[in-house]
Structures are given as C-alpha cells and as structure tokens.
Amino acid sequence: MLQNYRKIMVAVDGSSEAELAFQKAMNVAMRNDAELLLAHVIDTRAFQSVSSFDGVLAEQATEMAKQTLEGYKKQAKEHGCERVSTIIEYGSPKPLIAKQLPQDQEVDLIMLGATGLNAVERLFIGSVSEYVIRNAACDVLVVRTDLENKIPAPQDED
C-alpha cells in the first residue's frame, strides 16, 4: 500500500531554498494527485521595531507576497498541477507553518527548504525548518537538493 497525500503545503518566501522545495512539491503533488497549497507568512515581528509603523510596510510586504505567490501558482499550473491554491498569513512563521496552517487547511505533508542560516544564527533565532520538524503533526519533507538530487552550488552574495 502506497502513501498518498491529499494536500501538500509548501512554504515559499522567494529564497533559493524555497524554490527547490517548490520544484519538488509540484512533482510530489502531481504523483499523488494532491492539491498544492503555496503558503507565505509575513513575519509581523519585523515591523514592531519600526516606531512610526503606519501600515505602509505591511501593504508593501503583502503586495510582494501576492506577486510571488501568483508567479509560483502560474508556474505550477504550467507544470501540470491542476489544483493549486495560495495563502498569505501574518505572524510568526514557525507556529503558523508547523501547526496552525496545517490544521486549518487539512495539510498532510509540509515541504520546505532547508535553512539558509549559519550556525550562529540558528543558535540565536533557530530555523523555521527545524521548528517545523519538531512540532508539526503531519509529515515534513525538508528539501536540500535540486530535481536531480544534487546539492546546488552556493550562490555568490554581492
């Protein structure tokens, strides 16, 4: 008996790690005839340090998230994924991706990219992927490789 997933959530944020997860999520969704849920969480804690926060930053973040999700959705449809939906949430990414969204959306597989944090950053803030692995009630797949199962070459940061 093969495991079949009905609803696969992939957390996307525009990073190269999220792109790898998205690419593999499309294939897993198609093999399982599953719905693909593209989720983006806007971390509202980043706005708390702005003393004159007037909603403009949140609106800009929301608009960028919508554009990112629409691009991913279009690509998934072109790839052959029939059922694709998107969701934008606001708050702390860790509990939203690990607990709230999977429960609210009846997700049975979470796919996300491996952390881009270095060891010191993980020590102080921890990675989302690490938190999700430890706290999600459903299956979690952390993607580290491309579609050929090769580790992508590091990109130069300018």
Side-chain angles (χ1 to χ4, degrees), residues 53-125:
F53 176 65
D54 59 4
V56 174
L57 291 175
E59 288 174 21
Q60 290 174 339
T62 300
E63 191 53 41
M64 282 182 55
K66 284 180 183 176
Q67 290 174 6
T68 299
L69 288 173
E70 280 306 310
Y72 279 123
K73 185 174 183 176
K74 181 180 179 203
Q75 191 176 345
K77 294 273 189 181
E78 289 170 353
H79 189 75
C81 291
E82 298 293 324
R83 296 180 292 141
V84 184
S85 57
T86 62
I87 189 165
I88 298 173
E89 281 292 336
Y90 303 86
S92 177
K94 291 177 184 179
L96 282 167
I97 294 170
K99 297 176 183 176
Q100 184 180 330
L101 285 172
Q103 181 178 355
D104 293 350
Q105 299 292 321
E106 298 180 358
V107 169
D108 51 6
L109 174 63
I110 302 169
M111 294 181 69
L112 63 165
T115 179
L117 303 177
N118 65 36
V120 174
E121 290 169 325
R122 279 194 307 271
L123 177 66
F124 287 110
I125 60 175

Side-chain angles (χ1 to χ4, degrees), residues 28 33 59 138:
V28 174
D33 191 29
E59 288 174 21
C138 64

